[in-house]
């Protein structure tokens, strides 16, 4: 009987490890991949280097990863891979809707 109890304990520990540690990380990665797949020109992004940029163009070659043209500032454009994008920032309309849905958002709290 003790043999089965130790096996059940190990299974429970692995299940808890998955639900507490791995599942949130996997969900975040999935959301990030979806955000990157849905990038469009005009989207604001944050790069792995910490730069805030605006996507001005997307080029998907036949072979190789997708390439983005990012505008870091007026007249400053760089080429980057989609793997260089950490986060897509919400569009202004999305941000306004989110702020309206949160109580106290207009007071700056």
């Amino acid at each position: 009987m003790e043999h089965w109890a130790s096996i059940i304990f190990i299974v429970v520990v692995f299940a808890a490890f998955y639900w507490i540690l791995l599942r949130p990380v996997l969900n975040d990665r999935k959301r990030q991949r979806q955000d990157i797949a849905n990038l469009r020109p005009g989207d604001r992004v944050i790069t792995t280097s910490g730069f805030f940029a605006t996507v001005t163009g997307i080029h998907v070659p036949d072979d190789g990863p997708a390439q983005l043209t990012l505008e870091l500032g007026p007249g400053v454009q760089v080429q980057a891979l989609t793997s260089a994008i950490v986060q897509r920032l919400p569009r202004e309309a999305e941000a306004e809707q989110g702020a309206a849905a949160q109580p106290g958002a207009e007071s700056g709290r």
Side-chain angles (χ1 to χ4, degrees):
M1 189 66 176
E2 289 181 26
H3 177 67
W4 288 107
S6 60
I7 291 174
I8 291 173
F9 177 74
I10 291 172
V11 169
V12 168
V13 167
F14 278 114
F17 177 77
Y18 173 80
W19 282 98
I20 294 171
L21 298 176
L22 287 178
R23 193 163 187 258
V25 171
L26 295 174
N27 286 340
D28 287 345
R29 285 186 182 172
K30 181 179 178 182
R31 181 197 49 79
Q32 182 182 13
R33 281 193 308 268
Q34 289 173 340
D35 283 349
I36 290 172
N38 295 329
L39 282 177
R40 301 179 300 212
D43 283 348
R44 298 273 301 152
V45 296
I46 300 175
T47 67
T48 54
S49 301
F51 292 117
F52 288 80
T54 303
V55 177
T56 58
I58 301 172
H59 175 68
V60 182
D62 292 335
D63 58 343
Q67 301 170 4
L68 304 172
T69 303
L70 302 175
E71 184 174 39
L72 299 175
V76 180
Q77 292 193 349
V78 295
Q79 295 289 116
L81 299 175
T82 55
S83 59
I85 304 302
V86 173
Q87 180 180 359
R88 180 182 72 89
L89 298 174
R91 292 181 172 269
E92 292 169 3
E94 294 172 357
E96 289 174 4
Q97 289 175 355
Q102 295 176 355
E106 57 276 339
S107 66
R109 295 182 188 197

